[in-house]
Amino acid sequence: MQVDLRILRYDPERDTKPHEERYTVEAGPMDRVLDLLHKVKYEQDGTLTFRRSCAHGVCGSDAMLINGRNRLACKIRVDQLGRKITVAPLPGLPLIKDLVVDMEAFFAKFRSVQPYLQAADMPPMRERRQSAEDRAKFDDTTKCILCAACTSSCPSFWAQPSYVGPAAIVNAHRFIFDSRDDAEEERLEILADKDGVWRCRTIFNCTDACPRGIHITQAILEVSSKIVEHRA
Ligand code: SF4
Ligand code: F3S
Ligand code: FES
């Protein structure tokens, strides 16, 4: 079938603002949007610029706005979208070129929540043991691939870009609820800040956008409850 693919293009050396360009691409129902982008790049316009690496939903580098929703180009297929497909860069992040946005501020927020295990005691001779029940408390939030689909779909983030955003909170949750970690207080302090969890208005766009199916809004509410519990 022929797909009518419309891509928002922007070349900082030539354009004053982004504009739409149309391509007709021959595709099968099981082709993914990433396959269509490759066809355009290799067969029609080699200047088309986008990020991708694994092509299998693991690296998180090809999140973009596809038919109005943030998704991974390598996971969404033509049969799920129809013959008319629009593709644009992730909203709310500074545009660099075509479908490539600047992720630096996004990763800085991720780093701000100290997303690594901090244990006060010396490492044991063997692994740090944890019960299956304790492991289950943060299983969901271990699945994040840092694609930014959540944060860039959040109206609270669009309104206030200093908001730490759902992705950083998900990654803080992963360690706050880990029984082997001892930096819970510090992370809760960071997230109780004016740009922390209280900026969330439970809009759920983040949860809808997450390609890993993480229950993001629930994780944010669990972190907020923990902050309240610690202050009581
Ligand atoms: Fe992407 Fe989901 Fe992680 Fe957000 S929580 S960065 S949407 S994988
Ligand atoms: Fe934004 Fe998600 Fe909260 S969309 S407002 S972080 S529930
Ligand atoms: Fe790696 Fe899509 S290219 S997640």
Side-chain angles (χ1 to χ4, degrees), residues 9-12 47-50 89 94-101:
R9 304 285 310 263
Y10 173 68
D11 181 344
T47 67
L48 178 64
T49 306
F50 52 94
L95 185 55
I96 296 177
K97 188 179 182 198
D98 290 341
L99 302 171
V100 175
V101 291

Side-chain angles (χ1 to χ4, degrees), residues 144-150 167 170 210-212 214 216:
C144 178
I145 54 172
L146 291 173
C147 68
C150 54
V170 159
C210 181
R212 304 288 291 170
I214 299 171
I216 302 177

Side-chain angles (χ1 to χ4, degrees), residues 153-156 163 166 199-206 217 220:
S153 70
C154 171
S156 295
Y163 171 34
R199 290 224 182 261
C200 173
R201 298 287 184 267
T202 54
I203 296 169
F204 275 90
N205 282 13
C206 53
T217 313
I220 296 171

Side-chain angles (χ1 to χ4, degrees), residues 28-52:
M30 301 307 281
D31 276 330
R32 304 154 308 162
V33 169
L34 182 62
D35 299 317
L36 306 187
L37 295 175
H38 279 149
K39 282 187 186 180
V40 171
K41 186 167 178 72
Y42 299 148
E43 296 166 14
Q44 299 190 36
D45 184 350
T47 67
L48 178 64
T49 306
F50 52 94
R51 287 194 184 103
R52 49 95 177 86

Side-chain angles (χ1 to χ4, degrees), residues 37-130:
L37 295 175
H38 279 149
K39 282 187 186 180
V40 171
K41 186 167 178 72
Y42 299 148
E43 296 166 14
Q44 299 190 36
D45 184 350
T47 67
L48 178 64
T49 306
F50 52 94
R51 287 194 184 103
R52 49 95 177 86
S53 180
C54 71
H56 291 286
V58 180
C59 72
S61 61
D62 64 341
M64 49 190 82
L65 189 70
I66 300 172
N67 282 8
R69 283 180 61 192
N70 283 356
R71 314 169 194 247
L72 293 181
C74 65
K75 279 192 80 177
I76 189 88
R77 300 185 310 268
V78 170
D79 67 335
Q80 297 169 291
L81 296 166
R83 287 166 191 238
K84 286 189 176 172
I85 299 175
T86 59
V87 182
L90 287 177
L93 298 174
L95 185 55
I96 296 177
K97 188 179 182 198
D98 290 341
L99 302 171
V100 175
V101 291
D102 186 349
M103 300 279 283
E104 206 35 61
F106 172 81
F107 286 123
K109 285 172 181 166
F110 164 67
R111 289 192 295 270
S112 77
V113 300
Q114 306 177 6
Y116 40 84
L117 189 84
Q118 297 179 69
D121 54 349
M122 291 293 285
M125 290 301 287
R126 299 181 66 179
E127 74 272 22
R128 294 181 192 275
R129 305 296 293 267
Q130 186 171 54

Side-chain angles (χ1 to χ4, degrees), residues 9-19 21 98:
R9 304 285 310 263
Y10 173 68
D11 181 344
E13 292 181 359
R14 215 183 45 204
D15 305 324
T16 50
K17 59 180 179 23
H19 64 281
E21 282 191 24
D98 290 341

